[in-house]
């Protein structure tokens, strides 16, 4: 199982209607066939950390992760979500017993960047973003 937790905060200028639209886009993304289970809602952590919401999803394996990353619903959702975020931190973890699942996850991420450079541009445009995507080697 591969788990991904994304904590985020909206840009100040994001309207309430846009916030609702972003959360709905996260829920649509979470409903794709490659997601085993998920939740999206308010972040209940320390408010001083600056996060207001969180998205968590679990994905069965690397093949499902690859489908998830390239799913048209996910791609469309990112165009709604990413431009409205001021802060984003993504944490991933796995119970995969292979020698280094982080390398395989990084390769899937890099393949998405190569295929969709505009996606990486949107991600990099978030003022405060921390997404671990590097190989551990």
């Amino acid at each position: 199982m591969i788990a991904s937790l994304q904590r985020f905060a909206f840009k100040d200028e994001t309207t309430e209607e846009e916030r609702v639209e972003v959360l709905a886009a996260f829920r649509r993304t979470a409903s794709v066939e490659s997601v085993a289970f998920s939740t999206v809602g308010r972040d209940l952590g320390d408010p001083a950390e600056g996060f207001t919401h969180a998205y968590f999803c679990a994905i069965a394996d690397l093949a499902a992760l690859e489908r998830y990353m390239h799913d048209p619903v996910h791609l469309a959702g990112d165009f709604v979500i990413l431009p409205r975020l001021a802060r984003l931190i993504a944490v991933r973890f796995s119970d995969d017993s292979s020698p280094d699942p982080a390398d395989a996850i990084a390769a899937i991420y890099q393949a998405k960047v190569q295929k969709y450079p505009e996606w990486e541009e949107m991600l990099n445009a978030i003022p405060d973003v921390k997404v671990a995507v590097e190989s551990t080697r």
Side-chain angles (χ1 to χ4, degrees):
M1 188 68 62
I2 300 163
S4 177
L5 170 64
Q6 298 174 26
R7 297 174 72 199
F8 60 95
F10 293 103
K11 290 179 178 174
D12 290 340
E13 64 270 17
T14 305
T15 67
E16 185 58 32
E17 182 178 286
E18 290 171 327
R19 290 170 191 243
V20 168
E21 184 182 12
V22 165
L23 296 176
F26 269 118
R27 289 183 183 103
R28 283 190 301 275
T29 298
S31 73
V32 301
E33 66 80 25
S34 52
V35 174
F37 58 91
S38 67
T39 189
V40 63
R42 290 180 298 146
D43 184 280
L44 302 178
D46 182 353
E49 292 178 338
F51 298 103
T52 58
H53 291 78
Y55 168 67
F56 175 83
C57 69
I59 298 169
D61 55 28
L62 292 169
L65 178 63
E66 188 161 13
R67 290 192 310 276
Y68 172 77
M69 292 293 281
H70 296 278
D71 191 292
V73 172
H74 186 181
L75 293 169
D78 284 343
F79 281 90
V80 172
I81 296 165
L82 297 178
R84 294 187 173 118
L85 301 185
R87 298 192 75 208
L88 172 67
I89 186 168
V91 178
R92 295 181 188 96
F93 52 98
S94 176
D95 63 359
D96 187 315
S97 62
S98 65
D100 201 345
D103 286 341
I105 291 169
I108 291 169
Y109 173 86
Q110 290 303 324
K112 183 171 181 174
V113 166
Q114 292 299 315
K115 189 169 184 175
Y116 307 104
E118 68 278 9
W119 176 77
E120 184 181 36
E121 289 173 17
M122 286 189 306
L123 189 61
N124 290 336
I126 298 171
D128 182 8
V129 63
K130 292 178 183 78
V131 179
V133 296
E134 298 300 318
S135 167
T136 58
R137 295 178 195 234

